[in-house]
């Protein structure tokens, strides 16, 4: 997460950003998201508002196999 969302998870452009890459969002401000919303985003690439995360920039398929405990741990962090 820290490569794209920066060390403090506040998002913004990072050293490996590609031209035209969307700015990674601030993960410390997911107001309105629940654990279920976060889990869906991590496993299915779908945000609470129904957007599909672009796997070219957010590699959610790599996280699709995380256990419930692992997803909950990421959420808690």
């Amino acid at each position: 997460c820290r490569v794209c969302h920066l060390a403090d998870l506040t998002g913004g452009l990072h050293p490996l950003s590609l031209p035209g890459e969307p700015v990674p969002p601030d993960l410390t401000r997911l107001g309105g998201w629940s654990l279920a919303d976060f889990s869906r985003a991590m496993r299915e690439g779908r945000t609470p508002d129904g957007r599909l995360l672009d796997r070219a920039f957010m590699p959610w398929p790599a996280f699709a196999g995380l256990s419930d405990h692992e997803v909950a741990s990421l959420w808690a962090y």
Side-chain angles (χ1 to χ4, degrees):
C1 303
R2 293 173 183 259
V3 170
C4 294
H5 296 277
L6 304 181
D8 60 2
L9 303 177
T10 57
L13 293 178
H14 55 88
L16 301 176
S17 295
L18 301 171
E21 180 177 328
V23 176
D26 182 343
L27 297 182
T28 68
R29 301 193 184 275
L30 293 177
W33 283 46
S34 66
L35 172 57
D37 294 331
F38 181 73
S39 180
R40 189 175 311 103
M42 295 298 286
R43 292 187 172 135
E44 301 170 23
R46 191 84 44 207
T47 65
D49 63 1
R51 286 183 307 110
L52 183 61
L53 298 172
D54 185 340
R55 0 168 155 208
F57 300 108
M58 173 49 194
W60 61 265
F63 304 106
L66 293 176
S67 70
D68 290 343
H69 178 76
E70 290 167 323
V71 171
S73 295
L74 287 171
W75 174 250
Y77 180 77

